[in-house]
Amino acid sequence: MLKEKWGRLRRSAVAIGLIAALATPVVVLPANPANAASTVVCVGDGVSGRRVQLVYVRPTGGTNRYPEMDPKIQDWATKIDAAYLEAAQRGGGVRHVIFVHSVACNPIVAYVEVPASEINNPEKVAAAMKARGYNRTDRIYLTFYQGTHECGLGWNDAGGSDSPSSGSPYNSGPGWAMIDEGCWAWNNAGHELLHAMGAVQASAPHATAFGHCWDDQDILCYDDGGLPSGGLKNECPCAVGDIIDCNNDDYFNYAPAAGTYLASHWNVANSYYLTGFGPGAPVYTGTKTVATARAGANAYVTKYQLPDGRWTLKAKVVTNTSSPFYSAVLAVRTPSGVRYIPPSGVPRGSAEYVTVEANTSVEVKLCEGNAAAKGGCTATWW
């Protein structure tokens, strides 16, 4: 299973984030005064949809460190988010982690107790959490447990593959990013969170045998015992500290070029647990001109993906004065069926804007006529 193959973060200089003083820093991490509440990007109501849930776990009867750890874990969340943002900015875009948060945009750290007999095994901690209701399929549980094991472990119960499809199991869950007390730090937590989101696939250009990478400086690169001949190499010499995906070619690229590995394989930058255009805003995914079968009308359609994974689109339907039909209508197909908007069509010689409400899938094609006639539809959906 993935949790056996991936994500065992060992205690080593690399694993705990040894920083080399090389060149101008790439990751700029926000400072947080002691005990000050950290804020993250607000998305919706703070609880709906796919989200990363921060969790503190202590053994029953053990010392309760929650008052101490709550602000620290919030601060680490902002540092993890900063690393995701920096990685996206290298590709010209924006990505933020969608956390469970309060109305004030403070990440919420849940409190859980598990039997002391289970606290030193991350898989048993996860099982105990599930029994207490932490088993949502729209959650990744970023968990700081008050025990010791192998530093960290990350996996996703939904499984996974290197397919780039939006239906990837990595867009479901529950996912688990477990960090034990001996390795509590933002970079170790970010490492395991990336595993829970599907990094690093065995097919990646710089993959190791055990789900990591060998082209440093990289938050997921270290000698895990499965390095290829030649060993660990510093291929991002300008990076300082733990950046996400050195050279953006193994597991995270905001805008991979056609023909490159991440254009055709699983790309964490496309995770439904991330967003990149502000609070609750949709993520632009492409624009296409859709024409009718015969000359006379075009629809300029832009698709968006919402932070919770649903799709929506906006279209401008334009008909010319010489159209053989009086009007044109957009055919919209969702899981609930096919409908035509606007029902009366866009009259010849005019234009109209159309917005399709969010759904789990949205496809369109342009037809000549109105909803009743719906003649001359294009042959393919988009």
Side-chain angles (χ1 to χ4, degrees):
M1 295 182 66
L2 291 179
K3 60 187 175 186
E4 296 300 326
K5 180 180 179 182
W6 288 1
R8 295 189 182 276
L9 183 58
R10 301 342 176 7
R11 289 179 174 83
S12 68
V14 175
I16 62 174
L18 180 65
I19 296 178
L22 295 175
T24 303
V26 174
V27 180
V28 179
L29 300 175
N32 187 48
N35 299 319
S38 298
T39 58
V40 293
V41 172
C42 266
V43 178
D45 61 5
V47 295
S48 300
R50 293 174 175 86
R51 294 178 184 270
V52 174
Q53 170 71 71
L54 301 170
V55 186
Y56 162 82
V57 179
R58 58 163 279 197
T60 301
T63 302
N64 180 8
R65 296 182 61 187
Y66 182 82
E68 168 200 353
M69 298 310 302
D70 179 29
K72 289 183 178 180
I73 294 172
Q74 289 190 49
D75 184 42
W76 294 335
T78 66
K79 289 176 167 58
I80 292 169
D81 185 64
Y84 276 86
L85 174 60
E86 186 278 329
Q89 288 175 333
R90 275 181 264 140
V94 177
R95 285 290 185 268
H96 289 283
V97 180
I98 306 175
F99 288 102
V100 175
H101 62 72
S102 68
V103 294
C105 307
N106 306 128
I108 295 173
V109 182
Y111 172 91
V112 179
E113 290 186 18
V114 303
S117 59
E118 301 175 355
I119 196 64
N120 291 323
N121 185 315
E123 292 149 294
K124 289 184 178 181
V125 171
M129 289 172 61
K130 290 179 187 178
R132 289 155 177 76
Y134 293 87
N135 59 355
R136 291 179 56 157
T137 58
D138 59 358
R139 290 288 186 267
I140 294 177
Y141 296 104
L142 180 49
T143 304
F144 299 83
Y145 66 99
Q146 203 165 303
T148 57
H149 186 57
E150 290 189 49
C151 196
L153 187 63
W155 74 92
N156 194 306
D157 282 353
S161 72
D162 66 0
S163 168
S165 169
S166 60
S168 169
Y170 295 117
N171 282 327
S172 186
W176 302 91
M178 315 292 287
I179 305 92
D180 75 26
E181 186 174 7
C183 287
W184 284 349
W186 81 266
N187 50 353
N188 293 337
H191 177 114
E192 301 307 336
L193 180 59
L194 284 161
H195 280 313
M197 289 184 175
V200 176
Q201 295 292 317
S203 57
H206 302 97
T208 68
F210 303 110
H212 297 95
C213 52
W214 52 264
D215 57 331
D216 238 358
Q217 296 287 326
D218 193 307
I219 197 169
L220 278 178
C221 290
Y222 77 101
D223 185 354
D224 62 1
L227 294 179
S229 60
L232 195 69
K233 296 182 180 180
N234 187 351
E235 296 198 357
C236 284
C238 291
V240 174
D242 294 307
I243 67 170
I244 290 176
D245 202 352
C246 167
N247 292 319
N248 294 96
D249 53 0
D250 286 309
Y251 59 91
F252 190 105
N253 192 320
Y254 175 82
T260 59
Y261 172 77
L262 287 174
S264 58
H265 293 78
W266 174 242
N267 183 358
V268 174
N270 295 331
S271 170
Y272 287 178
Y273 293 93
L274 304 177
T275 190
F277 291 88
V283 177
Y284 167 80
T285 58
T287 299
K288 185 175 181 178
T289 300
V290 180
T292 53
R294 289 180 285 179
N298 288 291
Y300 304 96
V301 183
T302 301
K303 293 180 72 174
Y304 297 89
Q305 191 170 33
L306 301 174
D308 63 7
R310 295 177 300 158
W311 294 88
T312 185
L313 59 86
K314 297 179 180 179
K316 182 181 181 181
V317 179
V318 181
T319 63
N320 61 43
T321 55
S322 60
S323 174
F325 274 67
Y326 177 76
S327 62
V329 65
L330 201 67
V332 179
R333 182 167 67 184
T334 69
S336 59
V338 178
R339 60 192 177 88
Y340 300 86
I341 56 174
S344 59
V346 175
R348 181 169 53 204
S350 63
E352 187 167 335
Y353 287 91
V354 173
T355 300
V356 178
E357 67 273 12
N359 214 313
T360 55
S361 65
V362 178
E363 296 175 292
V364 294
K365 60 181 176 180
L366 192 61
C367 307
E368 294 172 330
N370 54 32
K374 54 182 180 293
C377 286
T378 50
T380 59
W381 293 89
W382 184 70

